[in-house]
Coordinates of all heavy atoms in Angstrom, one line a residue:
M21 N 5.0 23.3 -40.2 CA 5.3 23.2 -38.8 C 6.6 22.5 -38.7 O 7.1 21.5 -39.3 CB 4.2 22.4 -38.3 CG 4.4 22.1 -36.9 SD 3.2 22.6 -35.6 CE 1.8 23.3 -36.5
L22 N 7.4 22.9 -37.7 CA 8.8 22.4 -37.3 C 8.6 21.3 -36.5 O 7.8 21.3 -35.5 CB 9.6 23.5 -36.8 CG 10.2 24.6 -37.6 CD1 10.9 25.6 -36.8 CD2 11.1 24.0 -38.7
L23 N 9.5 20.3 -36.5 CA 9.6 19.3 -35.6 C 11.1 19.5 -35.1 O 12.1 19.5 -35.7 CB 9.6 17.9 -36.2 CG 9.7 16.8 -35.3 CD1 8.4 16.6 -34.5 CD2 9.8 15.4 -36.1
I24 N 11.0 20.0 -33.7 CA 12.2 20.3 -33.1 C 12.7 19.3 -32.1 O 12.0 18.7 -31.3 CB 12.1 21.7 -32.3 CG1 11.7 22.8 -33.3 CG2 13.3 22.1 -31.5 CD1 11.2 24.0 -32.6
Q25 N 14.1 19.0 -32.2 CA 14.7 18.0 -31.3 C 15.2 18.6 -30.0 O 16.2 19.2 -30.0 CB 15.9 17.3 -32.1 CG 16.8 16.4 -31.4 CD 16.1 15.0 -31.4 OE1 15.4 14.7 -32.2 NE2 16.4 14.2 -30.4
C26 N 14.3 18.3 -29.0 CA 14.8 18.8 -27.6 C 15.9 17.9 -27.2 O 15.7 16.6 -27.3 CB 13.5 18.7 -26.6 SG 14.1 19.1 -24.9
P27 N 16.9 18.4 -26.6 CA 18.1 17.6 -26.2 C 17.8 16.5 -25.2 O 18.4 15.5 -24.9 CB 19.1 18.6 -25.8 CG 18.8 19.9 -26.4 CD 17.3 19.9 -26.6
W28 N 16.7 17.0 -24.4 CA 16.3 16.0 -23.2 C 15.0 15.2 -23.6 O 14.9 14.1 -23.0 CB 16.1 16.9 -22.0 CG 17.3 17.6 -21.6 CD1 18.3 17.1 -20.8 CD2 17.8 18.8 -22.0 NE1 19.4 18.0 -20.6 CE2 19.1 19.0 -21.4 CE3 17.3 19.8 -22.7 CZ2 19.9 20.2 -21.6 CZ3 18.0 21.0 -22.9 CH2 19.3 21.2 -22.3
C29 N 14.1 15.8 -24.3 CA 12.8 15.0 -24.5 C 12.7 14.4 -25.8 O 11.8 13.6 -26.0 CB 11.7 16.1 -24.3 SG 11.8 17.0 -22.8
G30 N 13.5 14.7 -26.8 CA 13.5 14.2 -28.1 C 12.6 15.1 -29.0 O 12.3 16.2 -28.6
P31 N 12.2 14.6 -30.2 CA 11.6 15.4 -31.2 C 10.2 15.8 -30.7 O 9.4 14.9 -30.2 CB 11.5 14.5 -32.5 CG 11.8 13.1 -32.0 CD 12.5 13.2 -30.7
R32 N 9.9 17.0 -30.7 CA 8.5 17.4 -30.4 C 8.0 18.5 -31.4 O 8.8 19.1 -32.1 CB 8.5 18.1 -29.0 CG 8.9 17.3 -27.9 CD 7.8 16.2 -27.6 NE 8.0 15.5 -26.3 CZ 8.7 14.4 -26.2 NH1 9.3 13.8 -27.3 NH2 8.8 13.7 -25.1
D33 N 6.7 18.7 -31.4 CA 6.2 19.7 -32.3 C 6.5 21.1 -31.9 O 6.7 21.4 -30.7 CB 4.6 19.5 -32.2 CG 4.0 20.2 -33.4 OD1 3.8 21.5 -33.3 OD2 3.7 19.5 -34.4
E34 N 6.6 22.0 -32.9 CA 7.0 23.3 -32.7 C 6.2 24.1 -31.6 O 6.7 24.9 -30.9 CB 7.0 24.1 -33.9 CG 7.2 25.5 -34.0 CD 7.0 26.2 -35.3 OE1 6.6 25.5 -36.3 OE2 7.2 27.5 -35.4
I35 N 5.0 23.7 -31.5 CA 4.0 24.5 -30.6 C 4.5 24.3 -29.1 O 3.9 25.1 -28.3 CB 2.5 24.2 -30.7 CG1 2.3 22.6 -30.6 CG2 2.1 24.6 -32.2 CD1 0.8 22.3 -30.6
E36 N 5.2 23.3 -28.9 CA 5.6 23.1 -27.5 C 6.8 24.1 -27.0 O 7.2 24.1 -25.9 CB 6.2 21.7 -27.3 CG 5.0 20.7 -27.3 CD 5.5 19.3 -26.9 OE1 6.6 19.2 -26.3 OE2 4.8 18.3 -27.3
F37 N 7.4 24.8 -28.0 CA 8.5 25.6 -27.7 C 8.3 27.0 -27.8 O 7.3 27.5 -28.6 CB 9.7 25.3 -28.9 CG 10.0 23.8 -28.7 CD1 9.4 22.7 -29.3 CD2 11.2 23.5 -28.0 CE1 9.8 21.5 -29.3 CE2 11.7 22.2 -28.0 CZ 10.9 21.1 -28.5
S38 N 9.1 27.9 -27.2 CA 9.2 29.3 -27.4 C 10.5 29.7 -27.9 O 11.6 29.3 -27.6 CB 9.1 30.0 -26.0 OG 7.8 29.7 -25.3
Y39 N 10.4 30.6 -28.8 CA 11.6 31.1 -29.5 C 12.3 32.2 -28.7 O 11.5 33.0 -28.1 CB 11.2 31.8 -30.9 CG 12.2 32.4 -31.6 CD1 13.2 31.6 -32.3 CD2 12.4 33.7 -31.8 CE1 14.3 32.1 -33.1 CE2 13.4 34.2 -32.5 CZ 14.4 33.5 -33.1 OH 15.3 34.1 -33.9
G40 N 13.6 32.0 -28.5 CA 14.3 33.0 -27.5 C 15.2 34.0 -28.3 O 16.0 34.6 -27.7
G41 N 15.1 34.1 -29.6 CA 15.9 35.0 -30.2 C 17.2 34.4 -30.7 O 17.5 33.3 -30.6
E42 N 18.1 35.5 -31.1 CA 19.4 35.1 -31.6 C 20.3 34.6 -30.5 O 20.3 35.1 -29.4 CB 20.1 36.3 -32.3 CG 21.4 36.1 -32.9 CD 22.0 37.3 -33.6 OE1 21.2 38.3 -33.7 OE2 23.1 37.3 -34.0
A43 N 21.0 33.5 -30.8 CA 22.0 32.9 -29.8 C 23.3 33.7 -29.8 O 23.6 34.4 -30.8 CB 22.1 31.5 -30.1
H44 N 24.0 33.4 -28.7 CA 25.3 33.9 -28.6 C 25.5 35.4 -28.5 O 26.5 36.1 -29.0 CB 26.2 33.4 -29.7 CG 26.2 32.0 -29.9 ND1 26.8 31.0 -29.0 CD2 25.6 31.1 -30.9 CE1 26.5 29.8 -29.4 NE2 25.8 29.9 -30.5
I45 N 24.5 36.1 -28.0 CA 24.5 37.5 -27.7 C 25.1 37.6 -26.3 O 24.5 37.2 -25.2 CB 23.1 38.1 -27.7 CG1 22.4 37.9 -29.0 CG2 23.3 39.6 -27.3 CD1 23.3 38.5 -30.1
A46 N 26.3 38.1 -26.2 CA 26.9 38.2 -24.9 C 26.6 39.5 -24.1 O 26.6 40.7 -24.7 CB 28.4 38.2 -25.0
R47 N 26.2 39.4 -22.8 CA 25.7 40.6 -22.0 C 27.1 41.4 -21.7 O 28.0 40.9 -21.3 CB 25.1 40.1 -20.7 CG 24.6 41.3 -19.9 CD 23.9 40.8 -18.6 NE 23.6 41.9 -17.8 CZ 22.5 42.6 -17.8 NH1 21.6 42.4 -18.8 NH2 22.3 43.6 -16.9
P48 N 27.1 42.7 -21.9 CA 28.3 43.4 -21.6 C 28.8 43.2 -20.1 O 27.8 43.1 -19.1 CB 27.9 44.9 -21.7 CG 26.7 44.8 -22.6 CD 26.0 43.5 -22.4
Q49 N 30.0 43.2 -19.8 CA 30.5 43.0 -18.4 C 30.1 44.0 -17.5 O 29.7 43.6 -16.4 CB 32.0 43.0 -18.5 CG 32.6 41.8 -19.3 CD 32.4 40.5 -18.4 OE1 32.5 40.5 -17.3 NE2 32.2 39.3 -19.1
D50 N 30.1 45.2 -17.9 CA 29.7 46.4 -17.0 C 28.8 47.3 -17.7 O 29.2 48.4 -18.4 CB 31.0 47.1 -16.6 CG 30.6 48.0 -15.4 OD1 29.5 48.3 -15.0 OD2 31.6 48.8 -14.9
P51 N 27.5 47.1 -17.7 CA 26.5 47.9 -18.5 C 26.5 49.4 -18.1 O 26.2 50.2 -18.9 CB 25.2 47.3 -18.1 CG 25.4 45.9 -17.7 CD 26.8 45.9 -17.1
S52 N 27.0 49.7 -16.9 CA 26.9 51.1 -16.4 C 28.0 51.9 -17.2 O 28.0 53.2 -17.1 CB 27.1 51.1 -14.8 OG 28.4 50.7 -14.6
Q53 N 29.0 51.3 -17.8 CA 30.0 51.9 -18.6 C 29.7 52.2 -20.0 O 30.3 52.9 -20.7 CB 31.3 51.2 -18.5 CG 31.9 50.9 -17.1 CD 32.1 52.3 -16.4 OE1 32.8 53.1 -17.1 NE2 31.8 52.5 -15.2
L54 N 28.5 51.7 -20.4 CA 28.1 51.9 -21.8 C 27.3 53.1 -22.0 O 26.7 53.7 -21.1 CB 27.1 50.7 -22.2 CG 27.8 49.2 -22.1 CD1 26.8 48.3 -22.6 CD2 29.0 49.2 -23.0
S55 N 27.4 53.7 -23.3 CA 26.5 54.8 -23.6 C 25.1 54.3 -23.9 O 25.0 53.1 -23.9 CB 27.2 55.5 -24.7 OG 27.0 54.6 -25.9
D56 N 24.2 55.2 -24.0 CA 22.8 54.8 -24.3 C 22.8 54.2 -25.6 O 22.1 53.1 -25.8 CB 21.9 56.0 -24.2 CG 21.7 56.5 -22.8 OD1 22.0 55.8 -21.8 OD2 21.2 57.7 -22.7
A57 N 23.5 54.6 -26.5 CA 23.6 54.1 -27.8 C 24.2 52.6 -27.9 O 23.6 51.7 -28.5 CB 24.4 54.8 -28.9
E58 N 25.2 52.4 -27.1 CA 25.8 51.0 -26.9 C 24.8 50.1 -26.1 O 24.7 48.8 -26.5 CB 27.1 51.1 -26.2 CG 28.3 51.7 -27.0 CD 29.4 52.0 -26.1 OE1 29.3 52.3 -24.9 OE2 30.5 52.0 -26.7
W59 N 24.1 50.5 -25.2 CA 23.1 49.8 -24.4 C 22.0 49.4 -25.4 O 21.5 48.3 -25.4 CB 22.7 50.5 -23.2 CG 21.8 49.6 -22.4 CD1 20.5 50.0 -21.9 CD2 22.1 48.4 -21.7 NE1 19.9 49.0 -21.1 CE2 20.9 48.1 -21.0 CE3 23.2 47.6 -21.6 CZ2 20.8 46.9 -20.2 CZ3 23.1 46.4 -20.9 CH2 21.9 46.1 -20.3
A60 N 21.6 50.4 -26.1 CA 20.5 50.1 -27.1 C 20.8 49.1 -28.1 O 20.1 48.2 -28.5 CB 20.0 51.3 -27.7
E61 N 22.1 49.1 -28.5 CA 22.6 48.1 -29.5 C 22.6 46.8 -28.9 O 22.1 45.9 -29.6 CB 24.1 48.5 -29.9 CG 24.8 47.7 -30.8 CD 24.5 48.0 -32.2 OE1 24.0 48.9 -32.6 OE2 24.8 46.9 -33.0
F62 N 23.1 46.7 -27.7 CA 23.0 45.3 -26.9 C 21.6 44.8 -26.9 O 21.2 43.7 -27.2 CB 23.7 45.4 -25.7 CG 23.3 44.2 -24.8 CD1 23.7 43.0 -25.1 CD2 22.4 44.4 -23.7 CE1 23.3 41.8 -24.3 CE2 22.0 43.3 -23.0 CZ 22.6 42.0 -23.3
L63 N 20.6 45.7 -26.5 CA 19.3 45.3 -26.2 C 18.4 45.0 -27.4 O 17.7 44.0 -27.4 CB 18.6 46.4 -25.4 CG 18.9 46.6 -24.0 CD1 18.2 47.7 -23.3 CD2 18.7 45.3 -23.1
F64 N 18.6 45.7 -28.5 CA 17.7 45.6 -29.5 C 18.2 45.3 -31.0 O 17.4 44.9 -31.7 CB 16.9 47.0 -29.7 CG 16.3 47.6 -28.6 CD1 16.8 48.8 -27.8 CD2 15.3 46.9 -28.0 CE1 16.2 49.2 -26.7 CE2 14.7 47.3 -26.7 CZ 15.2 48.6 -26.1
M65 N 19.5 45.5 -31.2 CA 19.9 45.2 -32.6 C 20.4 43.8 -32.7 O 21.2 43.2 -31.9 CB 21.1 46.1 -32.8 CG 20.8 47.6 -32.7 SD 19.3 48.1 -33.7 CE 20.0 47.9 -35.4
R66 N 19.8 43.1 -33.7 CA 20.1 41.7 -34.0 C 20.4 41.5 -35.5 O 19.9 42.5 -36.4 CB 18.9 40.8 -33.5 CG 18.6 40.8 -32.1 CD 19.8 40.2 -31.3 NE 19.6 40.3 -29.9 CZ 20.0 41.1 -29.0 NH1 20.8 42.2 -29.4 NH2 19.8 41.0 -27.6
T67 N 21.0 40.6 -35.9 CA 21.2 40.3 -37.3 C 19.8 39.8 -37.9 O 19.0 39.4 -37.3 CB 22.3 39.2 -37.4 OG1 21.8 38.0 -36.9 CG2 23.5 39.6 -36.9
N68 N 19.8 40.1 -39.2 CA 18.6 39.7 -40.0 C 19.1 38.7 -41.0 O 19.2 39.0 -42.2 CB 17.9 40.8 -40.6 CG 16.6 40.5 -41.2 OD1 16.1 39.4 -40.9 ND2 16.1 41.2 -42.1
T69 N 19.5 37.5 -40.5 CA 20.1 36.6 -41.4 C 19.3 35.9 -42.4 O 18.2 35.6 -42.1 CB 20.8 35.4 -40.4 OG1 21.6 36.0 -39.4 CG2 21.6 34.4 -41.3
K70 N 20.0 35.8 -43.6 CA 19.3 35.1 -44.6 C 20.2 33.8 -44.9 O 21.3 33.8 -45.4 CB 19.2 35.8 -46.0 CG 18.6 35.2 -47.1 CD 18.6 36.2 -48.3 CE 17.9 35.5 -49.5 NZ 18.0 36.4 -50.6
G71 N 19.6 32.7 -44.4 CA 20.4 31.4 -44.4 C 20.6 30.9 -43.0 O 19.7 31.0 -42.1
A72 N 21.8 30.3 -42.7 CA 22.0 29.6 -41.5 C 22.0 30.7 -40.3 O 22.7 31.6 -40.3 CB 23.3 29.0 -41.4
H73 N 21.1 30.4 -39.3 CA 21.1 31.4 -38.2 C 21.0 30.6 -36.8 O 20.2 29.6 -36.7 CB 19.5 32.2 -38.3 CG 19.3 33.2 -37.3 ND1 18.4 33.0 -36.4 CD2 20.0 34.3 -37.1 CE1 18.4 34.1 -35.6 NE2 19.3 35.0 -36.1
K74 N 21.8 31.0 -35.9 CA 21.8 30.3 -34.7 C 20.9 31.1 -33.6 O 21.0 32.3 -33.5 CB 23.3 30.4 -34.1 CG 24.2 29.6 -34.9 CD 25.6 29.7 -34.5 CE 26.4 28.9 -35.5 NZ 27.9 29.2 -35.3
E75 N 20.0 30.3 -33.1 CA 19.0 30.9 -32.2 C 18.7 30.1 -31.0 O 19.0 29.0 -31.0 CB 17.6 30.9 -33.0 CG 17.3 29.7 -33.8 CD 16.3 30.1 -35.0 OE1 16.4 31.1 -35.5 OE2 15.6 29.1 -35.3
R76 N 18.1 30.7 -30.0 CA 17.8 30.0 -28.8 C 16.4 29.5 -28.8 O 15.4 30.3 -29.2 CB 17.9 31.0 -27.5 CG 19.4 31.5 -27.5 CD 19.6 32.5 -26.5 NE 19.5 31.8 -25.1 CZ 18.8 32.4 -24.0 NH1 18.5 33.5 -24.0 NH2 18.8 31.6 -22.9
W77 N 16.2 28.4 -28.1 CA 14.8 27.9 -28.0 C 14.6 27.3 -26.6 O 15.5 26.9 -26.0 CB 14.5 26.7 -29.1 CG 14.3 27.2 -30.4 CD1 15.2 27.5 -31.4 CD2 13.0 27.5 -31.1 NE1 14.7 27.9 -32.5 CE2 13.3 28.0 -32.4 CE3 11.8 27.4 -30.8 CZ2 12.4 28.3 -33.3 CZ3 10.7 27.7 -31.7 CH2 11.0 28.2 -32.9
N78 N 13.3 27.5 -26.1 CA 13.0 26.9 -24.8 C 11.9 26.0 -25.0 O 10.9 26.2 -25.6 CB 12.6 28.1 -23.9 CG 12.1 27.6 -22.5 OD1 10.9 27.5 -22.2 ND2 13.1 27.3 -21.6
H79 N 12.0 24.8 -24.3 CA 11.0 23.8 -24.4 C 9.9 24.2 -23.4 O 9.8 23.4 -22.2 CB 11.5 22.4 -24.2 CG 10.6 21.3 -24.6 ND1 10.8 20.0 -24.4 CD2 9.4 21.3 -25.2 CE1 9.8 19.2 -24.8 NE2 8.9 20.1 -25.2
A80 N 9.2 25.2 -23.6 CA 8.3 25.7 -22.6 C 7.2 24.8 -22.0 O 6.8 24.9 -20.9 CB 7.6 27.0 -23.1
H81 N 6.7 24.0 -22.9 CA 5.5 23.0 -22.6 C 6.1 21.6 -22.4 O 5.4 20.7 -22.6 CB 4.5 23.1 -23.6 CG 3.8 24.4 -23.6 ND1 3.0 24.9 -22.7 CD2 3.9 25.4 -24.6 CE1 2.5 26.1 -23.1 NE2 3.1 26.5 -24.2
G82 N 7.3 21.6 -22.0 CA 8.0 20.2 -21.8 C 8.9 20.4 -20.6 O 8.5 20.7 -19.4
C83 N 10.2 20.2 -20.8 CA 11.2 20.3 -19.7 C 11.6 21.6 -19.3 O 12.3 21.8 -18.2 CB 12.4 19.4 -20.2 SG 13.3 20.1 -21.5
R84 N 11.1 22.6 -20.0 CA 11.4 24.0 -19.8 C 12.9 24.4 -19.9 O 13.4 25.4 -19.2 CB 10.9 24.5 -18.4 CG 9.3 24.2 -18.5 CD 8.9 24.6 -17.0 NE 8.9 26.0 -16.9 CZ 7.9 26.9 -16.7 NH1 6.7 26.3 -16.5 NH2 8.0 28.3 -16.6
R85 N 13.7 23.7 -20.5 CA 15.0 23.9 -20.6 C 15.4 24.7 -22.0 O 14.7 24.6 -22.9 CB 15.9 22.7 -20.6 CG 15.9 22.0 -19.3 CD 16.6 20.7 -19.3 NE 16.8 20.1 -18.0 CZ 17.4 19.0 -17.7 NH1 17.8 18.2 -18.7 NH2 17.4 18.5 -16.4
W86 N 16.5 25.4 -21.9 CA 17.0 26.3 -23.1 C 18.1 25.4 -23.8 O 18.8 24.7 -23.2 CB 17.6 27.5 -22.6 CG 16.6 28.5 -22.1 CD1 16.2 28.7 -20.8 CD2 15.9 29.5 -22.9 NE1 15.3 29.7 -20.8 CE2 15.1 30.2 -22.0 CE3 15.9 29.7 -24.2 CZ2 14.2 31.3 -22.6 CZ3 15.0 30.7 -24.8 CH2 14.2 31.4 -23.9
F87 N 18.1 25.6 -25.2 CA 19.2 25.1 -25.9 C 19.1 25.8 -27.3 O 18.4 26.8 -27.3 CB 18.8 23.6 -26.4 CG 17.4 23.4 -27.0 CD1 17.4 23.3 -28.3 CD2 16.4 23.2 -26.1 CE1 16.1 23.2 -28.9 CE2 15.1 23.1 -26.7 CZ 15.0 23.0 -28.2
N88 N 20.2 25.6 -28.0 CA 20.4 26.3 -29.3 C 20.1 25.4 -30.5 O 20.3 24.3 -30.5 CB 21.9 26.9 -29.4 CG 22.2 27.9 -28.4 OD1 21.3 28.5 -27.8 ND2 23.3 28.2 -28.1
V89 N 19.6 26.2 -31.5 CA 19.4 25.5 -32.8 C 20.0 26.4 -33.9 O 19.9 27.5 -33.9 CB 17.8 25.5 -33.0 CG1 17.5 25.2 -34.4 CG2 17.2 24.5 -32.0
E90 N 20.7 25.7 -34.9 CA 21.1 26.4 -36.1 C 20.0 26.0 -37.1 O 19.9 24.8 -37.5 CB 22.5 25.9 -36.6 CG 22.9 26.7 -37.7 CD 24.4 26.4 -38.1 OE1 25.1 25.9 -37.2 OE2 24.6 26.5 -39.3
R91 N 19.3 27.0 -37.7 CA 18.2 26.8 -38.5 C 18.5 27.7 -39.9 O 18.9 28.8 -39.7 CB 17.0 27.2 -37.9 CG 15.7 27.0 -38.7 CD 14.5 27.3 -37.8 NE 14.4 28.8 -37.4 CZ 14.0 29.7 -38.1 NH1 13.4 29.5 -39.4 NH2 14.0 31.0 -37.8
D92 N 18.1 27.1 -41.0 CA 18.2 28.0 -42.2 C 16.8 28.8 -42.3 O 15.7 28.2 -42.3 CB 18.2 27.0 -43.4 CG 18.6 27.8 -44.6 OD1 17.8 28.7 -45.0 OD2 19.5 27.3 -45.4
T93 N 17.0 30.1 -42.4 CA 15.8 31.0 -42.3 C 15.1 31.0 -43.7 O 14.0 31.5 -43.7 CB 16.2 32.4 -42.0 OG1 17.2 32.9 -42.9 CG2 16.8 32.5 -40.6
L94 N 15.7 30.5 -44.7 CA 15.1 30.3 -46.1 C 14.2 29.0 -46.1 O 13.0 29.1 -46.6 CB 16.0 30.4 -47.1 CG 16.7 31.6 -47.4 CD1 17.9 31.5 -48.4 CD2 15.9 32.8 -47.8
T95 N 14.7 27.9 -45.6 CA 14.0 26.7 -45.8 C 13.3 26.2 -44.5 O 12.5 25.3 -44.5 CB 15.1 25.6 -46.2 OG1 16.0 25.4 -45.2 CG2 15.6 26.0 -47.6
Y96 N 13.7 26.9 -43.4 CA 13.2 26.5 -42.1 C 13.9 25.1 -41.6 O 13.6 24.6 -40.5 CB 11.7 26.4 -41.9 CG 11.1 27.6 -41.9 CD1 10.6 28.2 -43.1 CD2 10.9 28.5 -40.7 CE1 10.0 29.5 -43.0 CE2 10.3 29.7 -40.8 CZ 10.0 30.2 -42.0 OH 9.3 31.5 -42.0
Q97 N 14.7 24.6 -42.4 CA 15.3 23.4 -42.1 C 16.3 23.5 -40.8 O 17.2 24.5 -40.9 CB 16.1 22.8 -43.3 CG 16.8 21.4 -42.9 CD 17.6 20.9 -44.1 OE1 18.0 21.6 -45.0 NE2 18.1 19.6 -44.0
I98 N 16.2 22.6 -39.9 CA 17.2 22.7 -38.7 C 18.4 21.9 -39.0 O 18.3 20.7 -39.3 CB 16.5 22.2 -37.5 CG1 15.3 23.1 -37.1 CG2 17.4 22.0 -36.3 CD1 14.4 22.6 -35.9
K99 N 19.5 22.7 -39.0 CA 20.8 21.9 -39.4 C 21.4 21.2 -38.2 O 21.9 20.2 -38.3 CB 21.8 23.1 -39.8 CG 21.3 23.9 -40.8 CD 21.5 23.2 -42.2 CE 21.3 24.2 -43.3 NZ 21.2 23.6 -44.6
R100 N 21.2 21.8 -36.9 CA 21.8 21.1 -35.7 C 21.1 21.7 -34.5 O 20.7 22.8 -34.5 CB 23.3 21.2 -35.7 CG 23.9 22.6 -35.6 CD 25.4 22.5 -35.5 NE 25.9 23.8 -35.3 CZ 26.7 24.2 -34.3 NH1 27.1 23.1 -33.3 NH2 27.1 25.4 -34.1
V101 N 21.2 20.9 -33.5 CA 20.7 21.3 -32.1 C 21.9 21.1 -31.1 O 22.6 20.1 -31.3 CB 19.6 20.5 -31.7 CG1 19.1 20.8 -30.3 CG2 18.3 20.6 -32.7
Y102 N 22.2 22.0 -30.3 CA 23.3 22.0 -29.5 C 23.0 22.7 -28.1 O 22.1 23.6 -28.1 CB 24.6 22.5 -30.1 CG 24.6 23.9 -30.6 CD1 25.2 24.9 -29.8 CD2 23.9 24.2 -31.7 CE1 25.2 26.2 -30.3 CE2 23.9 25.6 -32.2 CZ 24.5 26.5 -31.3 OH 24.5 27.9 -31.8
H103 N 23.8 22.3 -27.1 CA 23.5 23.0 -25.8 C 24.0 24.3 -25.8 O 24.9 24.7 -26.6 CB 24.2 22.1 -24.8 CG 23.6 20.7 -24.6 ND1 22.4 20.5 -23.9 CD2 24.1 19.5 -25.0 CE1 22.1 19.2 -23.9 NE2 23.1 18.6 -24.6
C104 N 23.6 25.1 -24.9 CA 24.0 26.5 -24.7 C 25.4 26.8 -24.5 O 26.0 27.8 -24.9 CB 23.2 27.2 -23.6 SG 21.3 27.4 -24.0
D105 N 26.0 25.8 -24.1 CA 27.5 25.9 -23.8 C 28.3 25.4 -25.1 O 29.6 25.4 -25.1 CB 28.0 25.1 -22.6 CG 27.9 23.6 -22.8 OD1 27.4 23.1 -23.8 OD2 28.3 22.8 -21.8
G106 N 27.6 25.0 -26.1 CA 28.2 24.8 -27.5 C 28.4 23.2 -27.6 O 28.7 22.8 -28.7
T107 N 28.3 22.4 -26.6 CA 28.3 21.0 -26.8 C 27.2 20.3 -27.6 O 26.0 20.8 -27.4 CB 28.4 20.2 -25.4 OG1 27.3 20.4 -24.8 CG2 29.6 20.7 -24.6
P108 N 27.6 19.5 -28.5 CA 26.6 18.8 -29.4 C 25.6 18.0 -28.6 O 26.0 17.5 -27.5 CB 27.4 18.1 -30.4 CG 28.7 17.8 -29.7 CD 28.9 19.0 -28.8
V109 N 24.4 17.9 -29.2 CA 23.4 17.0 -28.5 C 23.7 15.5 -29.1 O 24.0 15.4 -30.3 CB 22.1 17.3 -28.9 CG1 21.0 16.3 -28.5 CG2 21.7 18.7 -28.3
Q110 N 23.7 14.6 -28.2 CA 24.1 13.2 -28.7 C 22.9 12.6 -29.4 O 21.8 12.9 -29.0 CB 24.4 12.3 -27.4 CG 25.7 12.7 -26.8 CD 25.9 11.9 -25.5 OE1 25.2 11.0 -25.1 NE2 27.2 12.0 -24.9
E111 N 23.2 11.9 -30.4 CA 22.1 11.3 -31.2 C 21.4 10.4 -30.4 O 21.9 9.7 -29.5 CB 22.7 10.6 -32.5 CG 23.4 11.6 -33.4 CD 22.4 12.5 -34.1 OE1 21.3 11.9 -34.4 OE2 22.7 13.7 -34.3
G112 N 20.0 10.2 -30.7 CA 19.2 9.3 -30.1 C 18.6 9.8 -28.7 O 17.8 9.1 -28.1
K113 N 18.9 11.1 -28.4 CA 18.3 11.7 -27.2 C 17.2 12.7 -27.7 O 17.4 13.4 -28.7 CB 19.4 12.2 -26.4 CG 20.1 11.2 -25.6 CD 20.9 11.9 -24.4 CE 21.4 10.9 -23.4 NZ 21.9 11.5 -22.3
Ligands
ZN12 ZN1 12.4 19.2 -23.4

């Protein structure tokens, strides 16, 4: 079981959170200009990282806010927690 550091609420049990998939997936500026294959690539294709993986999490049973986590997919160890805009979470929060 993971202990996840919510930037606003502090450390909480994994069951309070919802996994939001890979972080830093940019939505295309003009989706109507994409081919079906390009749109499908955006919607469905994600990396299958072995090691450090940046992912989105939502504190669904708490403050309901989104943030990013860098987690090792082999050990499940969380390397860092940071805000969606990339700013680091201050220690002690
Ligand atoms: Zn929270």
